[in-house]
Amino acid sequence: MIYVYDGSFFGYLSAVFDAWHDGLQHTEDICCDGAGDLFGRQQYVPADGVKAKRILDGLQAQCGGKTCHFLYYAFLAEQPQREMKLLQYIRQAFRLKGEFLHHLSEPAVWEVRQWARKTGNERHKLLGLARFQELKGGMLYCPLAPTCCVVPVMAPHFVKRLGSEEWVIHDRRRRIGVYYDRREAVLVDIPKVLQRVDVSEQEEEFAALWKQYYRTIAIADRRNDPLRRQFMPKKYWPYIIEVRDGENSR
Amino acid sequence: MKWDVMQKKLTILSDAAKYDVSCSSSGSRRENKAGGIGNGAYGGICHTWSADGRCVSLLKILMTNYCIYDCAYCVNRRSHETERAMLSPEEIAELTVEFYRRNYIEGLFLSSGVYRSPDETTELLIRTAKTLREEKNFNGYIHMKGIPGTDPRLIRELGKYVDRMSVNIELPSSAGLKLLAPQKTKENILLPMREIRSGIAERKENRKASRKAPAFVPAGQTTQLIIGATPDSDRTILRLSEALYKQVELKRVYYSAYVPAMTGPNLPALTQPPLLREHRLYQADWLLRYYQFSADEILTDAEPDFDLHLDPKACWALRHPEIFPVEINKASYHMLLRVPGIGVTSARRICAARRSAWLSYDTLRRLGIVLKRAKYFITCRGRFYGESDRPDYIRSRLLDAEQAGRYEPMDLFAGVNS
Ligand code: SF4
């Protein structure tokens, strides 16, 4: 049997739940909807909060919260064939219970932790590198194109920090975003038509001050481009206003 | 806001502040309040990296570069002809909040020349901090400079609003101060430092009684030393740092290789900032703070200066062949930390992993532990994987490794921001 889910984390866990229920020996694969031609017997599993919660609660109770954390972050890394690898991880976790995470020499544990680390690192990096622009009307807008799906896990940080502002963080690659209206943050789809923005009057001025600041603090004698690129990979540059236009990359 | 004037002031005042190396935004858990903006991230966050590869996390500027003092090494000294500017508390507060909203920065690091008098300067710093906290409702990170010679009462007042304070010692000895910073004395530097320390200690006491006791410099105090402007040995500097950590409970000592930006009869004729020496000091400082080394273990009477070719931990290990190699499955955490090439993360990982199984050389690799250097100092289940354990052989291999890794930037800047 091939289980098909909607691409979300809860959808995936619902598929795992069903697969488990039907007996794992019959599970050929778990696939994201639209992942290509699928041959063989398929079953679409809609995302179901109750099923997902059963698995997460079970993991939490038997193996501790960290196990769930790694699972979620590893899922967000969107690595090829993540579904079966993560299924293996979940099975191992339920088998080994409390001691599970110490088994670093188990390939499933090790790999999942590597993936989770990838997501965690990118999240941390982008918490600093994300740039908001003020739009007409005062809303703050932050466009990104991250490698891992980190926007949902970045949001809580900004809810605490910018709690009295209205803002949106937009993942342009996945066309999703988190919108915060001063009360709660919700995950939203952002269709292509909404991808143009109008910035406020003072936006350009503050951006110019920031770029000037950035230019001034560089110590010319210690110029070190490889080092800068190592910390601030080029793939993020299009959204980082102080280096975006190339004037500071010279 | 007059944008072009602002642009100009910002340029002058950030240019004059850029050699101050401290940029850390860590150590504060300040929480946002209802209707407020900002909070502290305990681990610190880098927001950008300048073209020289340094992490930028704070808006680091001077309130003013006017200064009544005349420190020989400083571009802001009274006798130096340069363009001067000054920002008002309101301007600084607005700039900080607008930069913060856009997620350019974690907060503000405000320093200043001595404007009219130390007390008057500090009063303006207090007004800035107060405006940010009370009017702008800003709860992000604030680091401010303690000006030598300020009345302790004002230092106390400032400490109520900021997360971190630093009084810069700059020159590691009294003789150096007399020569290069004649208006500063050991006493007028140490007085504000001690005041901050007792403020922090009192807060800790008050917190025990009530969790709501007001904050006072929650991220602690730091200082900066200039390296290479005076003839002080590395040992003198490291022992000073050790004393500052132990006696004044500083959070960090920053080291700044002297950049010969100025000329003067009392200044050394350097052409290059002593960067490698600065790097060795950071490594040794790291050993003091996280690896339970003492200054006298790292540098001895016989060798008061660093070996510029080899890092201080390796030098120590090579001086103590009687201790090595150690068995990776048995050595205490403390001992693992003393193995060259094994850091805090690796040591923790080893301790966690060996609880469930005996570790082989291959498992170590799998754990992501780099063995290039460590292999000469360890055994795994009794086996030694270095080719030879002769100190001179190991030394030459380590030198090769250091050469190859010389410009491994991660290593060079390890610990500069944390
Ligand atoms: S007091 Fe500070 S700003 Fe003034 S000259 Fe000395 S080092 Fe420079």
Side-chain angles (χ1 to χ4, degrees):
Chain A
M1 178 67 74
I2 297 172
Y3 296 87
V4 182
Y5 71 105
D6 65 0
S8 72
F9 183 55
F10 274 20
Y12 169 69
L13 290 177
S14 307
V16 170
F17 185 90
D18 279 10
W20 208 292
H21 187 82
D22 300 346
L24 288 176
Q25 68 275 20
H26 305 303
T27 308
E28 287 163 56
D29 206 351
I30 302 176
C31 287
C32 181
D33 198 7
D37 295 336
L38 299 174
F39 298 99
R41 268 172 22 100
Q42 299 173 27
Q43 179 177 320
Y44 184 78
V45 187
D48 179 339
V50 177
K51 289 179 186 168
K53 193 163 178 306
R54 288 270 298 273
I55 295 190
L56 291 178
D57 285 351
L59 281 177
Q60 168 125 23
Q62 297 187 27
C63 319
K66 268 196 169 169
T67 307
C68 299
H69 172 85
F70 288 133
L71 176 65
Y72 183 36
Y73 271 52
F75 179 82
L76 294 177
E78 296 183 347
Q79 296 295 304
Q81 270 108 51
R82 61 179 167 173
E83 287 85 359
M84 292 311 275
K85 186 70 83 183
L86 292 173
L87 179 61
Q88 226 178 335
Y89 170 89
I90 297 171
R91 289 180 70 177
Q92 292 272 25
F94 280 125
R95 204 164 49 101
L96 297 166
K97 310 227 166 13
E99 277 293 285
F100 173 57
L101 285 178
H102 291 310
H103 288 256
L104 283 175
S105 33
E106 292 277 348
V109 182
W110 181 241
E111 198 160 359
V112 165
R113 286 187 71 154
Q114 291 303 107
W115 291 354
R117 181 176 303 159
K118 208 167 130 69
T119 305
N121 287 348
E122 186 169 36
R123 172 186 174 272
H124 183 78
K125 187 132 278 188
L126 287 178
L127 289 183
L129 293 178
R131 297 285 177 266
F132 287 86
Q133 296 160 282
E134 188 188 67
L135 304 186
K136 289 210 167 81
M139 184 168 93
L140 295 171
Y141 171 73
C142 165
L144 292 173
T147 308
C148 305
C149 185
V150 289
V151 167
V153 287
M154 286 170 68
H157 172 84
F158 289 104
V159 168
K160 281 192 219 129
R161 188 159 274 218
L162 302 174
S164 51
E165 305 260 9
E166 181 190 14
W167 49 256
V168 67
I169 304 174
H170 181 184
D171 182 335
R172 297 182 70 114
R173 168 177 294 180
R174 296 172 184 78
R175 292 194 201 146
I176 58 165
V178 171
Y179 170 68
Y180 176 76
D181 65 356
R182 299 194 173 90
R183 279 176 300 122
E184 57 170 355
V186 282
L187 196 62
V188 290
D189 288 319
I190 301 180
K192 212 167 182 181
V193 283
L194 289 183
Q195 303 208 345
R196 268 200 44 224
V197 293
D198 261 342
V199 298
S200 76
E201 242 165 71
Q202 53 170 14
E203 178 57 32
E204 297 296 339
E205 304 290 355
F206 280 113
L209 285 175
W210 172 244
K211 284 192 233 173
Q212 176 63 12
Y213 175 74
Y214 181 79
R215 207 172 305 139
T216 313
I217 57 168
I219 296 174
D221 301 347
R222 287 197 184 190
R223 168 128 211 169
N224 191 339
D225 286 307
L227 183 58
R228 171 166 66 166
R229 270 202 308 279
Q230 181 184 334
F231 289 126
M232 193 157 63
K234 277 261 167 144
K235 64 177 175 185
Y236 299 131
W237 285 29
Y239 299 101
I240 304 174
I241 67 158
E242 63 271 26
V243 287
R244 182 182 57 193
D245 306 325
E247 56 188 299
N248 283 319
S249 35
R250 252 174 288 129
Chain B
M1 193 176 281
K2 285 221 177 63
W3 300 107
D4 48 340
V5 179
M6 195 58 177
Q7 183 78 242
K8 182 118 202 234
K9 285 191 191 178
L10 184 71
T11 310
I12 294 172
L13 295 171
S14 53
D15 190 54
K18 72 182 173 192
Y19 292 108
D20 203 309
V21 284
S22 151
C23 178
S24 166
S25 61
S26 59
S28 181
R29 287 199 172 89
R30 191 180 290 272
E31 285 187 11
N32 201 355
K33 300 195 181 102
I37 176 170
N39 61 353
Y42 190 77
I45 294 179
C46 291
H47 282 261
T48 192
W49 281 267
S50 57
D52 49 50
R54 286 176 311 159
C55 150
V56 179
S57 100
L58 302 171
L59 170 61
K60 180 161 61 175
I61 44 170
L62 298 186
M63 176 177 74
T64 180
N65 62 342
Y66 286 105
C67 190
I68 55 170
Y69 286 1
D70 208 31
C71 308
Y73 49 82
C74 176
V75 289
N76 303 319
R77 70 179 192 205
R78 192 185 53 205
S79 61
H80 182 226
E81 244 182 79
T82 181
E83 234 178 328
R84 309 273 169 173
M86 184 158 186
L87 287 165
S88 71
E90 292 70 28
E91 285 173 322
I92 298 170
E94 181 175 3
L95 207 56
T96 306
V97 168
E98 291 299 335
F99 277 12
Y100 191 91
R101 289 177 72 213
R102 289 165 174 77
N103 205 41
Y104 299 164
I105 54 170
E106 273 306 280
L108 172 69
F109 179 2
L110 190 61
S111 178
S112 184
V114 184
Y115 180 71
R116 297 219 188 118
S117 76
D119 284 358
E120 232 177 283
T121 313
T122 305
E123 274 164 7
L124 285 167
L125 295 178
I126 294 171
R127 252 183 59 201
T128 309
K130 225 172 150 175
T131 307
L132 272 166
R133 294 285 190 230
E134 289 177 356
E135 275 169 42
K136 302 269 180 189
N137 214 339
F138 176 73
N139 301 300
Y141 196 87
I142 302 181
H143 176 167
M144 284 202 186
K145 206 52 90 54
I147 308 287
T150 303
D151 184 331
R153 282 203 323 266
L154 292 174
I155 294 284
R156 275 290 172 127
E157 176 72 8
L158 185 55
K160 291 199 292 197
Y161 301 104
V162 302
D163 295 284
R164 171 166 284 184
M165 256 185 172
S166 54
V167 187
N168 282 357
I169 297 180
E170 306 287 18
L171 303 171
S173 64
S174 291
L177 278 174
K178 205 167 271 164
L179 192 67
L180 298 177
Q183 286 103 332
K184 292 182 188 163
T185 60
K186 201 172 144 195
E187 283 66 42
N188 69 25
I189 292 171
L190 282 178
L191 200 64
M193 268 190 167
R194 294 215 179 91
E195 190 63 27
I196 299 167
R197 186 198 53 185
S198 45
I200 293 173
E202 276 169 36
R203 184 212 39 161
K204 278 195 188 133
E205 274 308 302
N206 294 342
R207 281 264 153 134
K208 274 184 209 151
S210 151
R211 300 249 312 134
K212 289 215 180 86
F216 187 91
V217 197
Q221 65 168 324
T222 62
T223 193
Q224 169 172 305
L225 295 170
I226 300 177
I227 305 311
T230 52
D232 302 294
S233 73
D234 291 330
R235 189 156 188 253
T236 310
I237 296 168
L238 204 61
R239 289 176 106 181
L240 173 62
S241 301
E242 187 174 51
L244 289 168
Y245 288 132
K246 286 202 176 130
Q247 288 161 27
V248 205
E249 291 159 50
L250 286 203
K251 260 269 151 62
R252 280 294 300 270
V253 176
Y254 290 92
Y255 307 91
S256 169
Y258 169 63
V259 181
M262 305 293 289
T263 51
N266 294 332
L267 288 170
L270 282 180
T271 49
Q272 287 275 335
L275 290 180
L276 196 51
R277 195 177 162 203
E278 175 194 294
H279 174 51
R280 295 286 178 237
L281 273 161
Y282 274 115
Q283 289 179 318
D285 185 270
W286 203 250
L287 297 181
L288 288 183
R289 288 183 302 135
Y290 295 114
Y291 291 75
Q292 299 149 16
F293 275 87
S294 70
D296 287 338
E297 280 180 297
I298 301 168
L299 291 167
T300 58
D301 251 342
E303 291 168 71
D305 289 305
F306 289 114
D307 180 340
L308 289 184
H309 302 292
L310 213 52
D311 73 272
K313 194 158 123 184
C315 290
W316 176 84
L318 289 173
R319 278 202 303 272
H320 295 278
E322 74 282 4
I323 299 178
F324 296 102
V326 296
E327 168 58 41
I328 213 81
N329 286 290
K330 290 197 185 131
S332 65
Y333 173 72
H334 175 83
M335 196 59 229
L336 288 175
L337 282 182
R338 295 201 161 212
V339 175
I342 293 185
V344 174
T345 320
S346 301
R348 286 216 187 111
R349 229 179 256 171
I350 290 169
C351 288
R354 71 187 180 185
R355 268 189 276 157
S356 60
W358 274 71
L359 302 183
S360 69
Y361 196 70
D362 277 339
T363 336
L364 286 181
R365 279 224 181 104
R366 281 257 282 285
L367 289 177
I369 289 158
V370 184
L371 296 161
K372 199 164 71 182
R373 288 146 49 81
K375 67 177 175 189
Y376 300 105
F377 301 94
I378 57 168
T379 55
C380 301
R381 297 166 139 176
R383 270 195 66 187
F384 181 69
Y385 289 85
E387 305 79 40
S388 157
D389 61 356
R390 287 198 341 265
D392 54 335
Y393 174 79
I394 299 178
R395 190 183 152 82
S396 77
R397 301 301 306 164
L398 292 182
L399 279 175
D400 291 347
E402 174 106 8
Q403 275 305 326
R406 186 62 149 291
Y407 295 104
E408 264 171 36
M410 276 306 275
D411 184 46
L412 195 63
F413 275 73
V416 172
N417 181 60
S418 63

